[in-house]
Amino acid sequence: MSEEQLRSYVVVDLGVIKNNYMSYRAALPPSQEIIAVVKADAYGHGAVKVAKALESVGCKLFAAADIDEAISLREAGVAGEILVLGYTSPRFAHTLIENDLTQTIVSEEHAKQFIKLNEKVKCQIAVDTGMNRVGIDGSAPAFCEKVIRASAQNLRLTGLYTHFCSADDDKKRNFTLLQAQRFDQVLKRVNDLNLKYVHCANSAASLSKANIGNAVRLGAALYGLKTGDVALLNGVKAPLEWKSVITKVKKVKAGQTVGYGRAFTANNDITVATVSTGYADGYSRLLSNKGEVVVRGERAKIIGLICMDAFMADVSAAKDVKTGDEVALIGDGVSADDLAGLIGTIGYEVVCRIGKRVKRYYKE
Ligand SMILES: *Cc1c(COP(=O)(O)O)cnc(C)c1O
């Protein structure tokens, strides 16, 4: 089906993602590799397409959230190293090995379970330096050393990493530096192991003093999403546009209401367009009476409650609006970060939630 006929669709410009990657590549020291974080279907952009585009510009390292995501990448022909960030049950040790995946060891117990199996699983150890999510306890360096050495002896340990919890917040910079320091203390104890991958920085920390090691893990930056207080590099852009279609245009008189629950009442006579995207497509219902879309170059406010498969917008400012006109939900000056700001979340969530029903198209 051609794009124009679809109710709701996304266009991802892979050229923009490659350019974002190259911008960070140029800004980072040559000694640091980029691990492209393509979890959650590359933040809704399409993991296989994104990973392959990045491979074409030299990216060799990828990170996925779980073993299923990692296998999909491998089966689609992604050749680089794939790090599974989340927990995998040791009963899938064979699957990890067969697919040449690198598993994160998320706790000392996790390490023990893999060691007991006597399988040479490729793995990296996560060190918890203050986030209290996963990892071995980085505030006890001697203990960390023990787990790391046992893993190095019994498994195929290729790396060590930690994760910052507030690198995007200027006011919490000292804590990020403390996390880096804790990580460094663990590193120093295992220097002799010459681990291939040592990393701590996410997008927000990648160009900061807290970035130590020989790799960084970039997610948001590749997708042109803002991370808190940290500005994106110059030239980095959002590659994703979310488009929909106007299915009906009508005049609504002052005093009439629009949509479910009569949640919007027209103050004047207005022109209302029905747009064929709804919360079942991942367009948050919290954007009811709040969101803005772009029609024929003009902003149009969403009026009333967002339905499952449609919403209505006040298109009075735009000229000659017709059935079949394209609507930009994200793009044409409206960013995922803008929408996120309206409903108290982050751009990451907005793009991750774009539904399966919304077909993705790609430009190079
Ligand atoms: C998601 C994630 C990242 C990427 O974070 P961004 O803020 O998108 O750059 C890096 N490391 C880990 C462990 C993650 O879970």
Side-chain angles (χ1 to χ4, degrees):
M1 230 194 289
S2 84
E3 294 169 30
E4 290 74 22
Q5 293 169 294
L6 290 176
R7 281 188 321 104
S8 195
Y9 60 97
V10 152
V11 181
V12 176
D13 190 335
L14 296 170
V16 170
I17 297 182
K18 289 191 258 187
N19 187 67
N20 293 348
Y21 174 88
M22 295 310 290
S23 299
Y24 277 84
R25 181 61 282 162
L28 287 163
S31 60
Q32 284 198 317
E33 295 207 59
I34 295 175
I35 303 170
V37 179
V38 294
K39 65 191 181 191
D41 205 19
Y43 298 36
H45 295 63
V48 168
K49 289 280 189 180
V50 169
K52 291 202 160 177
L54 290 174
E55 276 193 325
S56 78
V57 288
C59 183
K60 292 184 176 68
L61 308 174
F62 301 92
D66 62 28
I67 186 172
D68 283 336
E69 288 185 356
I71 290 171
S72 316
L73 290 168
R74 193 58 92 216
E75 285 183 345
V78 172
E81 299 263 12
I82 305 174
L83 171 64
V84 177
L85 296 169
Y87 171 82
T88 299
S89 165
R91 89 179 100 109
F92 297 112
H94 271 292
T95 316
L96 289 166
I97 293 169
E98 273 162 26
N99 289 281
D100 189 27
L101 305 176
T102 307
Q103 175 57 44
T104 295
I105 299 294
V106 302
S107 66
E108 50 276 24
E109 189 195 354
H110 203 202
K112 271 190 199 147
Q113 290 172 339
F114 274 112
I115 290 171
K116 212 166 97 189
L117 284 176
N118 205 19
E119 302 269 14
K120 290 267 176 192
V121 172
K122 212 195 242 187
C123 60
Q124 295 195 20
I125 291 182
V127 179
D128 184 359
T129 53
M131 174 140 171
N132 287 317
R133 181 171 68 176
V134 292
I136 54 175
D137 184 0
S139 66
F143 169 76
C144 285
E145 182 180 350
K146 249 175 57 189
V147 180
I148 294 164
R149 290 198 185 279
S151 303
Q153 262 167 31
N154 297 288
L155 306 168
R156 279 178 72 198
L157 184 66
T158 62
L160 198 62
Y161 72 93
T162 191
H163 192 50
F164 296 136
C165 54
S166 55
D168 60 342
D169 188 336
D170 282 344
K171 294 186 297 297
K172 295 171 186 162
R173 193 175 294 158
N174 283 343
F175 191 74
T176 308
L177 290 170
L178 175 68
Q179 284 193 275
Q181 209 174 61
R182 284 178 178 160
F183 186 55
D184 201 38
Q185 263 156 27
V186 175
L187 275 181
K188 284 203 178 97
R189 290 175 166 263
V190 294
N191 249 335
D192 58 298
L193 296 178
N194 286 312
L195 294 171
K196 198 162 171 200
Y197 305 109
V198 172
H199 43 109
C200 55
N202 52 6
S203 297
S206 60
L207 303 173
S208 80
K209 269 203 302 204
N211 174 10
I212 58 171
N214 59 17
V216 299
R217 301 182 306 274
L218 298 185
L222 299 176
Y223 311 111
L225 297 165
K226 213 171 151 304
T227 58
D229 299 329
V230 180
L232 291 164
L233 267 182
N234 262 341
V236 167
K237 289 194 293 211
L240 180 148
E241 290 184 316
W242 189 358
K243 300 283 180 68
S244 191
V245 174
I246 289 178
T247 58
K248 178 167 185 187
V249 184
K250 70 175 295 185
K251 303 283 182 199
V252 167
K253 292 231 178 301
Q256 289 188 323
T257 65
V258 174
Y260 281 128
R262 309 191 72 194
F264 173 84
T265 307
N267 287 326
N268 333 80
D269 295 357
I270 54 172
T271 308
V272 174
T274 303
V275 180
S276 57
T277 293
Y279 61 78
D281 299 298
Y283 197 79
S284 175
R285 190 166 174 277
L286 298 174
L287 289 163
S288 296
N289 274 324
K290 275 194 189 154
E292 282 191 335
V293 297
V294 183
V295 178
R296 293 192 174 244
E298 302 288 345
R299 290 285 177 116
K301 224 173 163 228
I302 290 175
I303 53 177
L305 298 180
I306 289 168
C307 312
M308 190 181 285
D309 316 306
F311 60 76
M312 278 66 88
D314 178 352
V315 293
S316 306
K319 294 245 166 355
D320 303 323
V321 177
K322 288 194 283 292
T323 297
D325 278 358
E326 179 183 290
V327 181
L329 314 188
I330 294 175
D332 287 356
V334 178
S335 69
D337 291 316
D338 294 339
L339 293 183
L342 293 174
I343 58 175
T345 183
I346 51 176
Y348 294 54
E349 184 179 359
V350 171
V351 289
C352 282
R353 279 184 178 255
I354 300 175
K356 278 207 171 61
R357 199 163 77 167
V358 179
K359 192 163 173 188
R360 270 70 166 173
Y361 289 91
Y362 292 89
K363 294 199 275 209
E364 282 296 324

